[in-house]
Each structure stands twice: as C-alpha cells, then as structure tokens.
C-alpha cells in the first residue's frame, strides 16, 4: 500500500485503545467499537492496540453498532453454550453434542447480557450441523491447519497466520478421513438427463457431515444444471438421532436447559 506519511494516516484495520475501549478502523474510514475487552481479545492481542486519548475520536466518524467476538468463539450465557459466528449465536444442544463436535470446555467465554444482546439467535447446533465460519481444524497425521470460511476449507499457510486464529483449541480430525468413499458413471435418461448413484459407507469410521464431490468429463460439455441429492437409509440409529434432535429443539424453544458438567 501507500506509505504512511502522517500520524493520522492510519491504514484500514488499525486498532486503537481509548481509555478502556477498543476500536478498529474500517474500510470507509470509520471507527468501529468492540462491545467489550473480551470480544477484542478473541480477535487480537492487547499489544496490537495503539493507545490514544479521547481527542482522537474527533478525527473519525464512529459506528453505533458494536463488534462482537471472533467467528468460531465459544461463549456461554446463563446455562447455555453458543458458537458465535457472523453476528449470530448457535446454541449447542447438549454437553454430548458439544464434545462430539470436537469442542473444549476450556475455550468457553462467559458473556453478559450486553454482549449477548448484539447477536441474532440461530437454530440449534446438533450432531448433524456443519461447523460455522471461524472453526479451525487440525490434522495431526499431516500437521496441517484449516480455517472454515464461507463454507469452504482453507489451509493456513504459516505459523504466523495460524497464531492469529488460534485463540481457541482447534478441532482435531484425521486427514485420512478425506479418502475417496465411492464413485459412479453417468447414465443417460429421458429428456437429455444423466444420473448416477454413489453408495456411501455408513459405518462409524467413514461417517461424517462433510462430503466433497468432483465431476470429470472426457469431452467438453454444456451443462444447464447439476443437482445433488443426499439420502439416508432408514435405520434404528437414524431414528433415534432424529427423535433426539426433535426433543432438543423443543427444550431450546421452551427454555429447558442442561448445564455443562463442572470442570
């Protein structure tokens, strides 16, 4: 970018601390305030903030809406645990779901009503939910780190970049889970349509919530639509899971909460 030639000519995303409040300089040259110091620390370290006096606020316009916690942050309010992401809070169904989804109790930040109020409450996060933006995965068998952003997995390229995201424990998954489970060849149907069926292994060692599909053609093709339909076989285990999710949604709807185990 351009050289900084003035003490007020700060680049976008510069961070400031004025008294006990933290601000960040947005793209339209306005100052956005963090709702609390805890919210700020979920994004950055304290030493990144430039100390200023109150006169500095006169140099920029201020945005009324406050900034919350970093995407993927675990927070608790009352007896409930939530995942904060994209200005929304995803309530976690129960302690078993919390642990099965790879989270750690040590990462939970207790928030007050003021911090809670800036968020929109989302649907229940359960065993079949995908992890929201801001989630960090680690594959120990390949020693790689990945960030979930816009429903895509992005590899973090260095320890320096990684350290800026590791304000919480990563979710550990084996890289071997990315192995190919199946494939199929398209067959022609009526009206110029083609289709095929891939049988996925439902065993515990290959089950998951994330699937990646690739399509390869020997010749150039003009495709109007590509539709993917995922179906589950009806089993006793699937029925139990569906009933459990219904019960959890009812409990959440009527405020029936389960406390996490004491550490």
């Amino acid at each position: 970018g351009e050289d900084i030639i003035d003490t007020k000519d700060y680049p976008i995303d510069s961070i400031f601390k004025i008294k006990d409040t933290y601000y960040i300089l947005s793209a339209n040259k306005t100052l956005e305030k963090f709702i609390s110091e805890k919210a700020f620390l979920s994004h950055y370290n304290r030493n990144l903030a430039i100390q200023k006096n109150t006169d500095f606020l006169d140099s920029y316009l201020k945005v009324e809406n406050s900034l919350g916690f970093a995407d993927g942050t675990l927070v608790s309010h009352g007896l409930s645990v939530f995942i904060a992401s994209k200005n929304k809070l995803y309530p976690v169904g129960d302690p078993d779901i919390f642990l099965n989804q790879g989270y750690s109790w040590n990462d939970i930040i207790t928030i007050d009503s003021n911090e809670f109020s800036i968020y929109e409450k989302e649907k229940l996060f359960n065993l079949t939910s995908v992890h929201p933006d801001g989630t960090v995965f680690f594959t120990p068998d390949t020693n790689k780190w990945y960030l979930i952003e816009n429903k895509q997995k992005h590899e973090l390229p260095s320890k320096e970049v990684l350290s800026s995201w590791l304000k919480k424990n990563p979710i550990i998954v084996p890289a071997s889970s990315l192995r190919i489970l199946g494939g199929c060849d398209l067959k022609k149907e009526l009206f110029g349509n083609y289709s095929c069926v891939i049988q996925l292994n439902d065993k515990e060692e290959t089950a998951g919530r994330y699937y990646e599909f690739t399509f390869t053609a020997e010749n150039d093709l003009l495709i109007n639509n590509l539709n993917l339909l995922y179906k589950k076989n009806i089993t006793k285990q699937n029925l139990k899971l569906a009933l459990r999710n219904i019960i959890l949604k009812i409990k959440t709807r009527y405020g029936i909460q389960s406390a996490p185990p004491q550490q």
Side-chain angles (χ1 to χ4, degrees), residues 53-117:
N53 56 37
T54 54
D55 295 339
F56 182 76
L57 293 173
D58 298 332
S59 303
Y60 297 96
L61 294 175
K62 288 182 292 183
V63 176
E64 293 300 323
N65 295 332
S66 298
L67 297 174
F69 293 82
D71 290 346
T73 301
L74 301 173
V75 300
S76 66
H77 185 255
L79 295 178
S80 298
V81 175
F82 303 86
I83 308 168
S85 182
K86 302 298 183 186
N87 299 318
K88 297 179 180 180
L89 288 178
Y90 296 81
V92 181
D94 64 23
D96 289 338
I97 291 174
F98 182 88
L99 295 174
N100 287 333
Q101 291 282 41
Y103 292 112
S104 170
W105 299 114
N106 296 326
D107 291 333
I108 297 177
I109 300 172
T110 302
I111 63 176
D112 58 28
S113 298
N114 188 40
E115 294 164 322
F116 183 80
S117 66

Side-chain angles (χ1 to χ4, degrees), residues 156-168:
L156 298 174
S158 67
K159 290 183 178 180
E160 287 73 20
V161 174
L162 170 66
S163 63
S164 67
W165 287 98
L166 273 189
K167 304 296 182 183
K168 54 189 176 299

Side-chain angles (χ1 to χ4, degrees), residues 9 16 31 38 46 59 61 63 82 107 111 120 132 137 161 175 177 180 208-209 214 221 229 235:
D9 189 19
F16 307 98
L31 284 177
K38 287 186 293 185
R46 283 191 180 89
S59 303
L61 294 175
V63 176
F82 303 86
D107 291 333
I111 63 176
E120 174 185 346
F137 288 102
V161 174
S177 64
I180 296 175
R209 296 172 298 280
T214 59
L221 293 179
L229 179 63
T235 64

Side-chain angles (χ1 to χ4, degrees), residues 20 67 71 83 115 141 201 211 241:
D20 294 325
L67 297 174
D71 290 346
I83 308 168
E115 294 164 322
D141 42 348
N201 192 340
Y211 293 92
L241 180 61

